[in-house]
Amino acid sequence: MLHYVSQILPSLLSGAWMTIKIFFWTLIASIPLGILASLGLTSKIAPLRWILKFYVWLMRGTPLLLQLIFVFYGLPIIGIIFQRYDAALFAFILNYTAYFAEIFRGGFQAIDPGQYESARVLRLTRGQTLRKIVIPQVIKIVVPSIGNETINLIKDSSLVYVIGLGDLLRAGNVATARDVTLLPLVLVGIIYLLMTAIATYVLRKVEQHYRAWR
Amino acid sequence: MLELKKIKKQFNGRTILNNFDMQVQDNQITTIVGPSGAGKTTLLRCISGLEKIDSGSFVLDGKPFDPANNRDNDNVIGVVFQDFQLFPNLTVLDNITLAPQLVLKQSKSEAEKRAQELIDQLNLTGKEGLYPYQLSGGQKQRLAIVRALAMNPKILCYDEPTSALDPDLRQTVEDIILGLKKQNMTQIVVTHDMEFAKNIADQLVRVEPIKA
């Protein structure tokens, strides 16, 4: 059995690498974009608010699987052609930005308006106030919710099979179908658990970092 | 000297201040007293630029002055809020030095040197590395005062400085405010506490609710 495991492990690991890449880049892009979008959602400019509300509704209101299919098979109809990997990243970032935007909006609304006033009488600019005062407090508030989405993202990344990308789950599926054994899928489960365990650990460290103050 | 001339402020059609006149003399303590809802805090918010006035004018040392446009003003008005509004994510020292570094472009060491003087003066020595939640009420207030002073304001405003404190700390606040007066700080204190106001005031201004 060990021999079999060592035979299929390389293909599983290369699938896992795809999973990690999608996870990593989606997170890196959609957290800052989510902050920006959340600022737009609370903006005084009504049209901007409407557009972003529509976007969030669209992204949260339809399955990510459907969005992937539309980005890869649908957009070429209007002349926007993505490679499979780029299409996957595009759809994931778009989707996760919407969720993060809502989480950050809640975070921003939890900040005492007095904090802005106090920064204002000290003559900090709006940008300085956000960067130094507000966003650190917002991050502390949203870390648990962001953590939830982060764990979801690891597992959601398995949806990329629908546009023919070879991720961890697909690698396991291929081996299972070929060798008529569930063992590859057991291994897939273990690898997912390892990845989520690492993410959980990192998130706990981040939470601890923000526990220095209240 | 800061002069308020015919200041008018309305909220949703309700007039809070109507043709309000006041003079704040340099190096003196001006207290603003009156019942709840009379507009004391609104007045302070207009002076510190947090509210725009509907009409009237401010004159500072003979020159027109718009507190609401505080970007261009040079270190004019500092505020100690009723609930202090310290920055919870910054240490005591960083709460004080943030604005002097970002706004007055002081170097870190310059800002920290000045902060340390104020920390020692207001009896917060040893607390530099703590976060606001680790301070007592009185210490939080002193930090709020130090943070405002670090910006070298011409006028320092307090909103109800005794209300968030234990009664026995009232004396300490009096001492601090009178101590700053000796250093020629111009101060405006909003309070509903008449006895406290009388103890510290050079000038007592009454704000009465306006009957509709």
Side-chain angles (χ1 to χ4, degrees), chain A residues 112-126 128 131-134 136-137 211-214, chain B residues 45 49-50 68 70-71 73 75 77 79 81 85-89 98-99 102-104 131 133 147 151:
Chain A
D112 187 334
Q115 290 281 298
Y116 293 93
E117 297 192 336
S118 154
R120 190 158 156 224
V121 294
L122 289 168
R123 299 196 297 139
L124 299 179
T125 62
R126 178 153 172 82
Q128 289 166 341
R131 236 176 34 249
K132 300 286 186 177
I133 313 294
V134 177
Q137 295 183 50
R211 215 169 284 160
W213 49 273
R214 310 175 199 157
Chain B
R45 289 173 62 83
L50 290 169
N70 74 349
R71 287 279 100 219
N73 296 337
N75 322 340
I77 289 168
V79 183
F81 291 94
Q85 292 297 343
L86 301 169
F87 303 131
N89 57 316
L98 180 74
L102 292 178
V103 180
L104 306 181
Y131 287 96
Y133 82 92
R147 185 177 66 175
M151 291 296 284

Side-chain angles (χ1 to χ4, degrees), chain B residues 75-130:
Chain B
N75 322 340
V76 176
I77 289 168
V79 183
V80 177
F81 291 94
Q82 185 171 5
D83 50 1
F84 316 132
Q85 292 297 343
L86 301 169
F87 303 131
N89 57 316
L90 301 178
T91 60
V92 166
L93 190 61
D94 290 339
N95 259 281
I96 303 166
T97 58
L98 180 74
Q101 287 182 76
L102 292 178
V103 180
L104 306 181
K105 307 291 175 201
Q106 292 178 3
S107 71
K108 194 174 162 65
S109 62
E110 241 180 309
E112 285 182 356
K113 186 167 164 283
R114 171 81 177 127
Q116 198 60 53
E117 289 167 15
L118 292 165
I119 284 171
D120 294 341
Q121 187 191 333
L122 285 198
N123 202 11
L124 286 168
T125 315
K127 310 286 181 210
E128 294 83 352
L130 297 184

Side-chain angles (χ1 to χ4, degrees), chain B residues 20-184:
Chain B
F20 187 84
D21 294 306
M22 180 171 111
Q23 292 187 343
V24 179
Q25 303 294 337
D26 287 350
N27 313 335
Q28 288 200 351
I29 298 169
T30 303
T31 57
I32 300 173
V33 295
S36 295
K40 302 187 298 289
T41 296
T42 302
L43 179 59
L44 196 74
R45 289 173 62 83
C46 290
I47 294 172
S48 56
L50 290 169
E51 300 287 349
K52 278 204 166 83
I53 51 171
D54 296 316
S55 64
S57 60
F58 292 93
V59 178
L60 183 72
D61 300 331
K63 289 179 202 127
F65 160 71
D66 177 11
N69 193 2
N70 74 349
R71 287 279 100 219
D72 307 324
N73 296 337
D74 196 24
N75 322 340
V76 176
I77 289 168
V79 183
V80 177
F81 291 94
Q82 185 171 5
D83 50 1
F84 316 132
Q85 292 297 343
L86 301 169
F87 303 131
N89 57 316
L90 301 178
T91 60
V92 166
L93 190 61
D94 290 339
N95 259 281
I96 303 166
T97 58
L98 180 74
Q101 287 182 76
L102 292 178
V103 180
L104 306 181
K105 307 291 175 201
Q106 292 178 3
S107 71
K108 194 174 162 65
S109 62
E110 241 180 309
E112 285 182 356
K113 186 167 164 283
R114 171 81 177 127
Q116 198 60 53
E117 289 167 15
L118 292 165
I119 284 171
D120 294 341
Q121 187 191 333
L122 285 198
N123 202 11
L124 286 168
T125 315
K127 310 286 181 210
E128 294 83 352
L130 297 184
Y131 287 96
Y133 82 92
Q134 295 167 304
L135 302 179
S136 71
Q139 291 166 343
K140 283 180 188 165
Q141 182 175 57
R142 298 205 296 280
L143 172 55
I145 296 171
V146 168
R147 185 177 66 175
L149 287 174
M151 291 296 284
N152 304 317
K154 283 205 175 74
I155 300 172
L156 185 55
C157 301
Y158 304 77
D159 189 11
E160 299 282 5
T162 55
S163 70
L165 299 179
D166 294 336
D168 49 328
L169 279 171
R170 200 169 71 171
Q171 187 60 46
T172 319
V173 186
E174 276 183 32
D175 294 345
I176 291 171
I177 293 176
L178 292 169
L180 288 172
K181 184 193 164 188
K182 285 207 188 89
Q183 299 175 30
N184 295 329

